[in-house]
């Protein structure tokens, strides 16, 4: 049974920080998967915000999150995290963890990834 579960969302002030966690139960070892974080704001399409390769050596960020967000993973603990700093009002969204079987040690970040969590809500207030 494949499961991804996000945690750590909540209400945070503009300029504040929050750390999201993704705990995985994927049937194979966690290092067999590339992992990404997506978000979906009200009225907008889901977008990838960061991704990390199976080894953790390579990461990817979209322009709006680069320098503010940090994706990491601990394969021994089957967890991936997204540290979000200097949050802005436009970061308000439901954040999702996604995983895909890794064919290479390179981040994957696309809407068709195989496994998804149910999401955790982050609200950034003024």
């Amino acid at each position: 049974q494949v499961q991804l579960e996000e945690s750590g969302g909540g209400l945070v002030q503009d300029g504040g920080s929050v750390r999201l966690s993704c705990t995985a139960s994927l049937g194979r070892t966690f290092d067999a998967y590339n992992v990404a974080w997506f978000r979906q704001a009200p009225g907008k399409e889901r977008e990838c915000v960061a991704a990390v390769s199976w080894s953790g050596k390579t990461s990817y960020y979209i322009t709006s999150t680069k320098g503010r967000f940090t994706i990491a993973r601990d394969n021994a603990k089957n967890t991936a995290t997204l540290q979000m700093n200097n949050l802005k009002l436009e970061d308000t969204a439901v954040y999702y963890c996604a995983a895909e079987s890794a064919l290479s040690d390179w981040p994957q970040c696309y809407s068709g990834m195989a496994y998804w969590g149910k999401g955790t809500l982050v609200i950034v207030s003024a």
Side-chain angles (χ1 to χ4, degrees):
Q1 186 175 3
V2 175
Q3 286 186 325
L4 295 172
E5 184 172 3
E6 304 92 341
S7 61
L11 180 65
V12 60
Q13 286 192 325
D14 186 16
S17 298
V18 69
R19 180 184 175 94
L20 305 182
S21 294
C22 173
T23 302
S25 175
L26 291 164
R28 293 192 289 160
T29 57
F30 193 48
D31 61 6
Y33 300 88
N34 291 325
V35 174
W37 284 95
F38 288 73
R39 68 184 178 190
Q40 187 166 21
K44 295 187 177 181
E45 293 187 355
R46 190 175 298 188
E47 66 172 350
C48 178
V49 299
V52 64
S53 64
W54 68 262
S55 70
K57 292 180 181 178
T58 307
S59 55
Y60 162 82
Y61 300 91
I62 59 173
T63 299
S64 62
T65 64
K66 194 174 295 184
R68 299 189 299 124
F69 291 10
T70 302
I71 189 170
R73 64 188 295 160
D74 185 336
N75 288 336
K77 295 182 179 179
N78 289 355
T79 59
T81 58
L82 184 68
Q83 177 68 42
M84 305 190 292
N85 298 328
N86 190 21
L87 284 162
K88 304 176 181 181
L89 298 178
E90 54 264 39
D91 294 319
T92 294
V94 177
Y95 284 74
Y96 299 88
C97 176
E100 178 65 75
S101 295
L103 299 179
S104 66
D105 195 17
W106 196 255
Q108 293 170 277
C109 211
Y110 66 104
S111 60
M113 294 181 75
Y115 307 109
W116 293 81
K118 294 181 178 180
T120 185
L121 176 62
V122 175
I123 300 174
V124 183
S125 65

